[in-house]
Amino acid sequence: MQRLTFSNITAILPDRLMEDAWVVCEKGKIVSVSRKRPKVEAAEVIDGRGGYLAPGFIDIHVHGGDGADFMDGKSEAVRVACRAHARHGTTTIFPTTTTGSPEQIHAMLDAVKTVQAEKQAQNGARIAGVHLYGPFFAEDKVGCHSAAGRREPTAVEYRAYFESGLVRIATCAAELPGAVEFYREAKKRRCLITCGHSNASWPEMAAAFKAGMRHVDHFWCAMSNVASVRSRLGVPMRGSMLEFVLGTADMSTEVIADGCHLAPELLEFAFRLKGPRKLCLVTDANRALDLPPGNYRFGAAEDGSWFESDGRVGWAPGRTSLASSIVGMDHMVRQMKRDTSATLPEVVRMASLTPAELTGIAKHTGSLEAGKNADVVLLSRKLEVRRVFIGGVEMAL
Ligand SMILES: [Zn+2]
Ligand SMILES: [Zn+2]
């Protein structure tokens, strides 16, 4: 594999910007990041034209794109979605399940396994594992997912998913019967364990934490607050997921920074309270990413619930609530930079190194450091994606 040297760039490191940097990659790995001009042949130099070089983005919560949903259960759908997200700077992806039948979830796992095994650079973002997200949601917090595909966790069902060896992130609503056993099993499998689509109280979160839960999906979306816990459990008013996450240093979370789900003050608040090491940017994007406005299915093509894309965001029928995002990680990075006081290295960290650390892959990817995969993105000064490299191989955008 050829040697690549990036020049005329500002490198975005986890803790600072390095201007006039030279980044050398060889055999798919980064070999040096420095301000000293290395000995290079002109032919192998990539001119960054004064833009930024960022580590490739890592998306831990994503449903699909460019017409495909991972739950379509077809290997071609997996490739289409992974390529679509690579065009937006995502180089590592965790395909995410929705609610659905066990057969649909197994079909998704099989399709992901097939594509992962192909190890084809032009398949797009690398698959680092699956996020088992649906079906173990609380009935009153199903959100835009198909309610028929929601259920309570049983060991027989989830053990079969874990047996695939693919599940690296595991979600379950903490108040469901069997949730603690689910978390214990996920902990044995060394997953990032998360509570989502849940109306859990603080004591339920505390029990989940004891069993290994450390993360909450899309903060403020489909999660409990004091008022929602009061309507479920009555008085006295009780702590919710929100207080538990903000009050517990070891808890991490994620935001959908598309500019439609959360106002700037909520993005700023999440950043101030959790900081760049415990807050991730996720796309939560669905199949309408890069497609024109219209009606689409969320989840499997045959029976997923319908939603409407207006070209900016997904809406549940009747436009009373949102139904996940339709933009890529580059958009989230620009929005977070614009809407919050986070510095550019902090914003990029939340889209790369932080999700890598939480999912246990930071040894291999997530930052511009010698020894890591040459998963890098050339950005313009306006943070628009110009070129994307995965393992040193340039993606056709
Ligand atoms: Zn969700
Ligand atoms: Zn989602």
Side-chain angles (χ1 to χ4, degrees):
M1 200 169 290
Q2 75 187 114
R3 207 172 122 109
L4 294 175
T5 301
F6 295 90
S7 75
N8 194 11
I9 47 158
T10 296
I12 305 175
L13 307 185
D15 56 344
R16 70 201 150 97
L17 296 175
M18 184 190 275
E19 281 167 34
D20 304 315
W22 293 82
V23 175
V24 183
C25 305
E26 212 173 307
K27 293 187 186 134
K29 304 271 181 206
I30 298 169
V31 294
S32 71
V33 179
S34 131
R35 292 202 62 180
K36 255 182 56 196
R37 188 183 208 284
K39 278 193 199 127
V40 282
E41 306 280 336
E44 65 204 23
V45 174
I46 292 173
D47 182 357
R49 292 155 53 201
Y52 294 106
L53 189 73
F57 305 138
I58 298 174
D59 197 351
I60 61 174
H61 187 157
V62 48
H63 299 284
D66 196 15
D69 191 297
F70 293 114
M71 288 298 285
D72 291 347
K74 300 205 160 65
S75 49
E76 188 51 21
V78 175
R79 292 184 205 99
V80 166
C82 290
R83 279 187 211 120
H85 282 276
R87 291 196 288 271
H88 292 274
T90 295
T91 56
T92 299
I93 198 163
F94 289 84
T96 300
T97 60
T98 63
T99 63
S101 68
E103 293 72 29
Q104 286 172 323
I105 293 170
H106 281 293
M108 184 272 202
L109 291 167
D110 290 346
V112 167
K113 187 164 239 172
T114 300
V115 176
Q116 191 187 41
E118 288 169 358
K119 291 198 163 73
Q120 282 296 320
Q122 296 305 332
N123 279 349
R126 292 174 195 269
I127 296 167
V130 160
H131 181 169
L132 177 65
Y133 185 55
F136 307 132
F137 292 166
E139 205 164 8
D140 52 343
K141 292 283 184 189
V142 173
C144 63
H145 291 251
S146 137
R150 176 218 82 85
R151 59 200 162 270
E152 279 151 24
T154 59
V156 181
E157 183 180 352
Y158 59 70
R159 277 201 192 126
Y161 304 146
F162 287 133
E163 284 305 319
S164 73
L166 273 177
V167 180
R168 303 308 313 139
I169 307 171
T171 290
C172 179
E175 70 271 41
L176 296 182
V180 163
E181 291 73 20
F182 173 89
Y183 296 142
R184 285 207 196 107
E185 184 75 27
K187 192 177 176 193
K188 266 197 242 159
R189 316 269 179 171
R190 305 168 74 95
C191 293
L192 169 65
I193 304 174
T194 152
C195 173
H197 286 261
S198 163
N199 198 3
S201 65
W202 180 297
E204 287 159 342
M205 291 297 281
F209 186 84
K210 227 177 127 197
M213 185 276 304
R214 290 290 181 275
H215 187 89
V216 162
D217 300 279
H218 46 46
F219 210 57
W220 285 293
C221 305
M223 70 177 239
S224 58
N225 56 44
V226 169
S228 77
V229 174
R230 186 179 55 186
S231 34
R232 185 180 141 228
L233 299 173
V235 290
M237 284 198 280
R238 289 159 224 259
S240 70
M241 292 166 76
L242 191 133
E243 288 74 28
F244 191 83
V245 171
L246 299 181
T248 308
D250 284 341
M251 285 295 297
S252 56
T253 188
E254 61 195 40
V255 283
I256 308 171
D258 63 352
C260 298
H261 279 76
L262 302 171
E265 69 271 16
L266 288 184
L267 296 176
E268 173 68 17
F269 181 81
F271 171 69
R272 283 196 211 171
L273 274 278
K274 293 313 295 182
R277 288 165 185 270
K278 291 292 177 194
L279 186 66
C280 299
L281 304 187
V282 294
T283 66
D284 195 15
N286 60 51
R287 70 171 80 237
L289 168 96
D290 291 342
L291 291 191
N295 292 309
Y296 299 94
R297 280 206 200 260
F298 184 75
E302 70 266 25
D303 64 355
S305 49
W306 288 100
F307 71 93
E308 185 192 350
S309 164
D310 66 3
R312 295 177 64 229
V313 71
W315 291 92
R319 292 208 181 185
T320 47
S321 60
L322 295 180
S324 94
S325 107
I326 62 150
V327 293
M329 194 65 98
D330 55 335
H331 181 113
M332 308 297 171
V333 165
R334 290 190 294 271
Q335 192 84 37
M336 198 68 182
K337 182 72 189 74
R338 194 179 310 140
D339 283 353
T340 73
S341 62
T343 64
L344 184 56
E346 286 171 330
V347 170
V348 168
R349 191 191 209 287
M350 291 186 272
S352 53
L353 186 55
T354 300
E357 287 169 348
L358 295 179
T359 54
I361 57 172
K363 235 177 92 181
H364 309 293
T365 191
S367 58
L368 301 180
E369 276 179 82
K372 292 198 181 184
N373 292 334
D375 298 345
V376 302
V377 183
L378 268 178
L379 301 167
S380 71
R381 279 312 219 197
K382 289 181 173 164
L383 305 175
E384 275 146 1
V385 174
R386 279 183 178 157
R387 298 172 76 174
V388 178
F389 299 79
I390 301 179
V393 178
E394 183 161 14
M395 291 291 105
L397 296 186

